Amino acid sequence: MIVSKTAIPRRTVLRGLGTALALPLLDSMVPALTALQKTAAAPVRRFGVVYVSNGMMMPNWTPAKDGVDFELSPTLKPLEPFRDRVIVMSGLSSKPPANSPGGAAAGVHARASTRFMTHVIPKRAQGSEISAGVSTDQIAAAEFGKHTQLASLELAIEGRDFAGSCDAGYSCAYTNTISWRSASTPLPMENDPRALFERMFGDGGLDPAARQSRIEADRSILDSVTDRIADLNRRVGPRDRGKLSEYLEALRDVERRIQKVEEQNGRELAITLDQPAGIPAAYEDHVKLMFDLQLLAYQTDLTRVITFMLAREISGRSYPQIGVPEAHHPISHHLNDPAKLANLAKINVHHMSLFSYYVEKLRNTPDGDGSLLDHVMIIYGAGMADSNLHAPSGLPVMLVGGGAGTLRGGRHLRYPMDTPLANLHLALLYRHGIAGVEAVGDCSGRLEQLSR
């Protein structure tokens, strides 16, 4: 590591044509005096959520044994290479009070997704009358956003439409997002990689015609800052040059893939009018591209809070590529039919396999004195357990990531049944250094045993 009298500011960007390109955390961003005392740049804390819909096949999710001697269940098996970074938690629940408005069976899917992060029972309403509560990710974003360009990112694979009713009189806003800035402000989930990329690295203020013109001209964001990159390389040491090269190549790869998708969609436009430009046709390609963009957002410290829905509640997506041509939601009402249970298990494993792709990338991306996986805590889970029963008790939830002193992975922790999921969220806010939050939703205290 090269120690000089000056340091590159942490918020340094490379400016080009309509571009403000953020940089990853470099050793050269550490003040000189600090650099004498440390061997790498100090990491930042990050918070992520990956949500899966329509419940889970719980026998294939829940490990048979507790503690450190558990074996990963069939659904969790794709995470075997990262077992030591995983905490599986049983007994957590998002069970509404027995006297809930509308009864226990009202709007079960709307409740599942809304309560997963807000722990508030949504009001049965549409339009301007909708009401829930501030979600945990937005509590974190209010603090972390003081230090980043974007307070948070809310992402999804399926559409972001909030209009109309999706679940027994409950607005589609409840089923199509898990993030709420206030009780009356659900945050739309972005599902277009091109729009996300431009929000992160390009000029999000361009009008549609100007944006299309730039896309057709096939301008590369990186090409517009080539001279500035060369200048920066002369100012940093060998270790930082390596980091910068890896980051820029990853950025160029994402941009190249988005452009390729748009070329393909452009050729198909005359036949398929409902294919949005920028969204890959294959579900797996779409998910991986969105995961790659999340990694870049963390790596460049554009944001420290990301929520991501692999599918919305009541999703009717089919998965013929894995042998499941039927729609997900009807399958989730399996009535213990062996064929439907087998297909539900396939969907659950497929989602987990895609998540493992992301975890591997996080583990392989250097950050400060470790990797991005060391410096992020990700909740992976669903807002209901047995989908056939719409069960809010014993939710499928796990934590992934966290370095030494933050989380102790490689364990299956079993809590008393119906321990509020909000207890976990309160504990994570505390572990992220967010002071002054004494309660979240219907919590009964901070969840224990996460680091011991």
Side-chain angles (χ1 to χ4, degrees):
M1 181 176 179
I2 295 176
V3 179
S4 61
K5 293 182 180 179
T6 60
I8 298 173
R10 178 66 185 92
R11 297 251 49 87
T12 296
V13 296
L14 302 179
R15 298 191 180 278
L17 299 175
T19 300
L21 183 61
L23 295 172
L25 184 61
L26 303 175
D27 292 340
S28 302
M29 293 171 176
V30 183
L33 181 59
T34 304
L36 290 171
Q37 301 168 341
K38 299 182 179 181
T39 58
V44 298
R45 295 167 174 156
R46 303 171 178 89
F47 176 62
V49 181
V50 177
Y51 184 84
V52 289
S53 67
N54 297 337
M56 193 76 61
M57 184 182 173
M58 293 307 295
N60 278 29
W61 168 278
T62 309
K65 294 183 179 180
D66 302 344
V68 298
D69 296 327
F70 80 102
E71 293 184 9
L72 288 173
S73 61
T75 299
L76 301 175
K77 204 66 175 176
L79 294 180
E80 185 68 54
F82 323 105
R83 174 195 170 88
D84 63 326
R85 314 310 298 275
V86 173
I87 302 177
V88 183
M89 290 165 283
S90 294
L92 303 186
S93 301
S94 184
K95 189 175 181 180
N99 59 350
S100 300
V108 287
H109 286 278
R111 287 182 177 184
S113 48
T114 303
R115 281 180 57 80
F116 191 77
M117 295 302 295
T118 68
H119 314 290
V120 172
I121 299 171
K123 177 183 178 182
R124 187 171 187 173
Q126 301 176 41
S128 61
E129 298 298 315
I130 62 174
S131 179
V134 179
S135 55
T136 301
D137 59 293
Q138 291 306 297
I139 297 175
E143 177 61 30
F144 288 166
K146 299 173 184 178
H147 312 288
T148 59
Q149 180 177 323
L150 303 173
S152 60
L153 288 174
E154 298 76 41
L155 310 176
I157 293 300
E158 297 180 325
R160 49 186 286 175
D161 186 13
F162 283 175
S165 168
C166 285
D167 188 14
Y170 286 80
S171 167
C172 293
Y174 296 126
T175 55
N176 290 12
T177 187
I178 56 174
S179 297
W180 289 70
R181 181 164 293 157
S182 70
S184 58
T185 311
L187 296 176
M189 314 293 276
E190 180 59 68
N191 72 326
D192 186 340
R194 165 57 69 180
L196 174 58
F197 188 83
E198 289 184 349
R199 183 182 176 193
M200 290 168 55
F201 302 112
D203 184 355
L206 293 175
D207 61 59
R211 182 184 300 124
Q212 186 60 34
S213 175
R214 183 170 66 82
I215 291 172
E216 291 174 354
D218 197 26
R219 297 281 313 192
S220 168
I221 286 177
L222 292 183
D223 289 344
S224 71
V225 295
T226 299
D227 293 342
R228 292 162 181 81
I229 292 172
D231 177 67
L232 183 62
N233 269 323
R234 288 191 290 269
R235 298 165 55 196
V236 301
R239 173 171 160 145
D240 280 348
R241 283 198 293 271
K243 286 184 182 180
L244 191 59
S245 176
E246 291 176 3
Y247 159 65
L248 295 174
E249 181 53 40
L251 188 62
R252 189 181 294 278
D253 178 64
V254 168
E255 186 177 38
R256 184 167 53 242
R257 287 156 61 190
I258 291 175
Q259 291 169 345
K260 187 65 176 177
V261 166
E262 289 170 337
E263 290 173 8
Q264 294 171 342
N265 287 339
R267 289 196 298 269
E268 298 167 358
L269 189 59
I271 302 174
T272 310
L273 297 178
D274 60 350
Q275 177 68 56
I279 299 179
Y283 175 79
E284 295 77 16
D285 293 341
H286 191 183
V287 171
K288 288 181 178 180
L289 191 52
M290 295 297 277
F291 273 140
D292 287 347
L293 286 164
Q294 291 174 60
L295 183 141
L296 287 172
Y298 282 147
Q299 188 180 11
T300 57
D301 203 28
L302 281 171
T303 190
R304 300 175 187 178
V305 180
I306 302 176
T307 51
F308 183 38
M309 298 182 77
L310 284 174
R312 64 186 175 211
E313 283 296 333
I314 321 181
S315 172
R317 178 181 293 276
S318 62
Y319 297 84
Q321 68 274 31
I322 61 169
V324 184
E326 299 85 4
H328 186 184
H329 182 226
I331 289 174
S332 71
H333 293 276
H334 50 74
L335 299 174
N336 293 317
D337 179 283
K340 288 186 176 181
L341 286 170
N343 282 339
L344 184 59
K346 288 180 181 179
I347 295 173
N348 296 162
V349 171
H350 189 50
H351 287 160
M352 190 63 68
S353 297
L354 292 169
F355 179 59
S356 71
Y357 164 87
Y358 180 43
V359 176
E360 181 175 17
K361 286 220 161 188
L362 289 169
R363 185 181 65 176
N364 294 339
T365 302
D367 182 66
D369 59 354
S371 70
L372 279 178
L373 186 59
D374 293 324
H375 305 140
V376 65
M377 299 183 197
I378 302 174
I379 299 174
Y380 181 103
M384 61 176 67
D386 183 346
S387 50
N388 193 59
L389 301 175
H390 296 131
S393 296
L395 297 177
V397 177
M398 68 178 174
L399 272 177
V400 178
T406 56
L407 298 177
R408 180 188 165 204
R411 295 181 297 156
H412 173 212
L413 302 179
R414 191 178 298 273
Y415 296 94
M417 184 57 72
D418 290 334
T419 296
L421 175 63
N423 289 11
L424 169 63
H425 291 183
L426 184 63
L428 292 182
L429 290 174
Y430 174 77
R431 290 176 180 279
H432 279 88
I434 299 175
V437 181
E438 298 182 358
V440 175
D442 56 0
C443 73
S444 59
R446 289 200 300 259
L447 199 67
E448 302 294 338
Q449 302 180 50
L450 297 181
S451 61
R452 57 179 176 82

